[in-house]
Amino acid sequence: MSREAVIFNVQRFSTEDGPGIRTTCFLKGCPLSCVWCHNPEGISPRPQTMWYDVRCIGCRSCVDVCPVGALTAGDKGIKINRSTCSACGKCADACPAAAIEIIGKSWTPEALTDEVLRDSAFYETSGGGVTISGGEPLAQHEFVMDFISRCKGAGLHVALDTSGYAAPAVFDPAADAADMVLLDLKTMNPAAHLELTGVPLEPVLRSARSLGETRKRVWIRTPVIPGATDSDENITAVARFIADNIPGCDRYDILPFSNICASKYERLGMEFRFKETPLVPMERMEELKADAERAGAPNVVIQGLTTRKPQ
Amino acid sequence: MDCDCGSTGTMIWKEADTLPPRVKRLRDEYFSFYERDYFRNEALGFSTGAQWDVLWRSYNWGINPEIFPFFAAIEDSLLASAVIVKTPESFWKLPLVRRRSLFFSEVLRKHLPAQILEGELIVGAQFNNAMSLCLNKAEAKGFRAAQKKWWDAAQVLNDTGVGNCGAVPGHLIPNYKKAVEIGFAGYAEEIKAELRKQPDERKRAQLQAMLECCEAVPDFTSRYAAEAERLAAAEGDAARRAELAEIARVCRKVPWNPPETFAESLQAVWFTHMLAMFSESYPGPGVSHGRIDQYLFPLYKKSVEQGMTREQARELLMCFWIKHNYAYDFMGRVGANQGINSGFGQLVTLSGCGPDGSDLTNELTMLMLDVIEEINMLEPKPNVRLHRNSPPELVERVGGMLSKAQGAPVLLNFDEASMRGLKWQGMPEGELWDYAPVGCLENAFQGCDRSGTVDVNLNLAKAVELTLNDGCDLATGRRIGPKTGDPAAFDSFDKFYAAFNAQLDALLDVICECVETADFVRSKYEFIPYLSVLVDGCMENGRDINEGGAKYNYITVEGIAFGTTVDSVAAVKKVVFEEGRVSMPDLVAAIKANYEGHEKTRQFMMNRAPKYGTDDNEADALAAEINKRWTERAFARVSPHTGKRFRGGYLSWNYWIAYAPFTAATPDGRKRGSFLSNGIGPVNGMDRKGPTANIRSVGKVGLESAPNGASHTISVSPSLLRDPEHVTKLSSMLRAYALEGGTALQVNVLDPDTLRRAQKNPEEYRNLLVRVTGYNAYFVNLGREIQDEIIAREAGVL
């Protein structure tokens, strides 16, 4: 197995992925396929070719250099035949306008550590650090373990942002190595979980309970998806689970659905079933927040776009 | 004068609802430009009556190209409307500096109106003016000839987009600390002592002139006392009558005698300050207070101990604050936005470190921050000094102020980087801690330093254009720099870079030569004995401030378009010579065609090169090299007439916009007319790795060789500051800036209008971060609908 990981973004000055100012590393590849996924480019483990219509100047350099003829230029711009495209990157290199990007680049743990260390001063003053996210970072768990130990060796605070869907032998050591875990609990209904994410709920709950047993510092997050996870019953159930099982949880984020990722789906040639779904009203988020608080979840925070700004 | 420190779309009309009624009335009165017929601080002309009299000095305005076309008209109308000040027979026999002090004193004793506005506690209203230089016929002729020499050269430099220069007034910190401690009476004693031991006739004349100015001050402030007494006699309200009686008492006391209470100190500083602006004639831009929370603190503390309440101190400070805004009064009824642009830069400096690196924040610091936020007016401009030991409560307070997007913008100065520069400049190491910025953010020493901080503004990107056109301006064909050869024939980066360096050297030389002429005219024909009193060194040296009498004298060259220049050189290096994606002849042809018909070339140059501002070591190394070369060359030069040494800095005011049409297309993909980069910051939208990378790039420039300091602006969306948790994150970023960044920072919180502009011109806003569900995103990469949503959301806030 390669020492390197495929990473689709290293985001500096992350202020939404854990305490303080952080650098978030998004590892590519995820065993889940949540129907609302807001980072669809994180699902496939392989590099992918993305075309940005707004940047394209129509010079067709990409079409000319493609060794397998996967690109065609038409009325609606560049079309990528994803069954033949190997994401070799020749088109991206030839494009003068940076309108084609290969999403997903290989990083060695050394190089990634050097990159995240650049903002050490900002982590120090803010109590921040590194967040390892995805995709599902534990899909590349050997890399993750190596990277965590390098970060810890350099004195950095590490947060692991995970779906919790991983074997105990993978999840537990990684959670143990990190300083804190950001864990998604999407729905407490096993059938719905399987339907909406493509994977069973039970391994996720096992991971969550394991965090509870070790009293690891945890933030739980639930995406509030209309018609999927947004019922009072579901939020209450998640909150109750937190109260009963995860004593180390000191914050519960409820994240209102956003359709911000619709353009990414288009660029990847994927369908997005929530394209036309409106944002959740703030009033509704406040009701859910009250549900969660009643059920005993600590420090409930609404994080994200709604149709009204909180005061 | 308009001073662009990067503020964008800042609203200044926010209604302050927590103000005391008196202050609210005074604030509303200030803004009532159209109704306020009984008082306007418009420039009054004062002339000797000689037909050759000179009131207007073009070189004072040499850095304001937007009014170049009106110079002649302004000069004529000032002369035509000027009050003739009667002078004695002996006047014309006096040395020039004595004529000036006599004239100044006459104006103060008889002509400058003394007016007290309803309810105000700090008085001193009229100060904008244009005062005769008091030249005799031969001097006037010499003045005009010398000024014309500067003017002819200055126009060429401006018209070809090289830059501008002049001998600009203000931009210094008079020694208000000493004025508060010893009063003008104390100054007069010191000058008399100096006169007793000074044998040199010329220097004696200077000292006598300074003494005469000191002695005119109490005569002037007594006129305010008399006015207060007159108003008191007619006042029906007992409380106001008592206030007026108190005003009369204070005006008979200060600033001749040292103040003994906080209220007296504010009145003393205001009189001293308004006369400093007055003495140089309108407008005295950038006359700054320095560390006012430090030198007023002893009297503040004393008054608190004697029973002054917080409310009383706050109200006094607000009355004091409002006065500064009248510097704008001449603009009140003209132009957009009520004619008020972003500032004169009467800077007040708060907090900062002490001699041992510990922090000097005190109760007055925090009270002044409250006043700044509540009163929310543009002047005086607040500046907060931060350093590694700044207390968390101060940094949090500043973060909180920034988070209120439409509040008064607070400029932040960073002590460690600023002091490194001043040390490099050779300032005494034991005194570095007590520096303060003037104008916008230009670092100087307090009370002893005239560093000519905006005298020269040089467009660095012009050197790139000249390199690509063998030394000639592309638009006019005019030769400006040396012949460095046909650029299409450069076959290595080294050849290109050598030519670029030769052009930049030549530009620096030509603009320095031009400003030296202005420096000469001013040193010979314009004496400011009043201001010379307030700047240490002038008395000891027996020289006027304009002759270089201050203890420290510099002429600062502010580099414009640094980021554009670095990105351009980096693009040639990478795209042309390292990767060969574009050939040199193709690039030259594309630049000459303003990239019309060369879009592919433009895209390669823009997208395939390392960018300054992204923490890219390659680009940052070039940035450091370019900075070092020109700033060290500047520092090697001395103006022959005054002995002022040149020094570098990066404050590009509004020239990054103004010179955009005068700068040809650049190899970073920019077309003629697109904005140049601002201050020390990266090209608009090119800091694509976010603020931390941007800050690190600036930190790597090696700014100590630009000891003036550098303007750095970072924009964030209000959504990043939506709650206390995020305000704390911003505050943490400021703390890290002290370790990693440059000398001065302005944080822009973007309003919906800016977001709308970003929607229209995504190229320029590619770095704009907004917060969306659970993470931050680059605004321009979002779909149109979600952008609209975010704009709508922001519009609903604040």
Side-chain angles (χ1 to χ4, degrees), chain B residues 64-85:
Chain B
N64 299 77
E66 69 279 10
I67 61 164
F68 281 7
F70 310 114
F71 275 7
I74 297 171
E75 181 166 15
D76 290 347
S77 70
L78 281 171
L79 260 177
S81 64
V83 172
I84 310 289
V85 175

Side-chain angles (χ1 to χ4, degrees), chain B residues 4 6 458-462 464 558-568 612-613 623 650-660 663 666 668 670-671 673-687 694 698 711-713 764:
Chain B
D4 191 290
L458 173 62
N459 179 3
L460 304 170
K462 200 71 194 180
V464 177
E558 303 284 5
I560 308 165
F562 180 70
T564 301
T565 305
V566 172
D567 280 2
S568 294
Y612 170 69
Y650 296 96
L651 170 72
S652 41
W653 202 352
N654 58 13
Y655 307 130
W656 54 290
I657 298 168
Y659 286 125
T663 310
T666 41
D668 62 339
R670 175 194 150 277
K671 291 183 178 180
S674 283
F675 293 169
L676 301 162
S677 63
N678 176 9
I680 195 66
V683 171
N684 264 353
M686 288 305 153
D687 52 335
N694 181 338
V698 170
S711 161
H712 188 196
T713 302
E764 290 173 21

Side-chain angles (χ1 to χ4, degrees), chain B residues 413-414 417-418 420 680 695 698-699 703 710 712 737-738 740-744:
Chain B
N413 241 74
F414 292 87
S418 295
R420 273 200 299 277
I680 195 66
I695 289 166
V698 170
L703 280 174
H712 188 196
Y737 196 99
E740 296 280 301
T743 68

Side-chain angles (χ1 to χ4, degrees), chain B residues 38-113:
Chain B
Y38 52 92
F39 173 63
R40 259 181 228 113
N41 186 25
E42 295 200 55
L44 302 177
F46 297 106
S47 168
T48 59
Q51 67 183 46
W52 59 80
D53 198 16
V54 175
L55 272 60
W56 168 261
R57 300 74 108 158
S58 300
Y59 57 74
N60 277 177
W61 298 84
I63 63 164
N64 299 77
E66 69 279 10
I67 61 164
F68 281 7
F70 310 114
F71 275 7
I74 297 171
E75 181 166 15
D76 290 347
S77 70
L78 281 171
L79 260 177
S81 64
V83 172
I84 310 289
V85 175
K86 271 188 82 174
T87 50
E89 280 298 305
S90 56
F91 182 75
W92 295 108
K93 296 198 180 78
L94 292 168
L96 180 52
V97 66
R98 293 290 311 281
R99 272 177 261 153
R100 280 279 280 176
S101 62
L102 192 154
F103 194 88
F104 173 87
S105 304
E106 279 299 294
V107 173
L108 282 194
R109 290 192 176 106
K110 296 180 188 150
H111 298 283
L112 189 63

Side-chain angles (χ1 to χ4, degrees), chain A residues 11-22 26 38-39 52 54-55 57 59 61 91-98 100 115 117-119 121-122 124-127 219 221 251 255-261 263-264 267 279 301-309 311, chain B residues 579 581 599-608 614-617 689-693 695-696 700 716 718-720 722-723 725-726 728-733 735-737 739-740 766 769 771-778 780-783 786 789-790 793-794 796-797:
Chain A
Q11 169 110 42
R12 296 165 71 171
F13 195 63
S14 277
T15 55
E16 312 300 324
D17 297 313
I21 295 170
R22 314 189 69 83
F26 293 91
H38 69 229
N39 278 334
Y52 291 81
V54 287
R55 297 185 198 161
I57 58 169
C59 71
S61 303
C91 52
D93 183 67
C95 175
I100 296 191
E115 181 68 14
L117 276 172
R118 286 171 178 252
D119 281 352
F122 298 88
E124 267 166 46
T125 58
S126 68
W219 288 5
R221 303 163 132 191
R251 172 160 163 166
L255 313 170
F257 158 80
S258 132
N259 51 15
I260 200 154
C261 51
S263 53
K264 291 199 225 174
R267 286 170 198 153
L279 297 180
V301 179
I302 301 167
Q303 284 272 40
L305 276 183
T306 60
T307 49
R308 183 175 70 78
K309 178 78 181 170
Q311 292 304 307
Chain B
E579 296 191 344
R581 291 178 190 270
E599 186 58 18
K600 206 167 155 180
T601 298
R602 187 176 93 88
Q603 293 288 340
F604 271 127
M605 297 305 293
M606 185 164 66
N607 294 307
R608 294 296 171 172
T614 60
D615 197 7
D616 178 293
N617 287 337
K689 290 199 172 170
T692 59
I695 289 166
R696 278 175 48 85
K700 284 189 265 178
V716 296
S719 63
L720 280 168
R722 67 194 180 276
D723 56 23
E725 180 196 347
H726 288 80
T728 300
K729 292 191 187 201
L730 177 76
S731 304
S732 308
M733 187 178 90
R735 301 180 75 82
Y737 196 99
L739 308 169
E740 296 280 301
R766 284 170 75 161
L769 278 172
R771 193 191 60 84
V772 291
T773 301
Y775 60 99
N776 300 334
Y778 288 105
V780 300
N781 283 352
L782 301 172
I786 202 76
E789 188 65 42
I790 291 171
R793 179 179 55 159
E794 299 307 341
V797 204

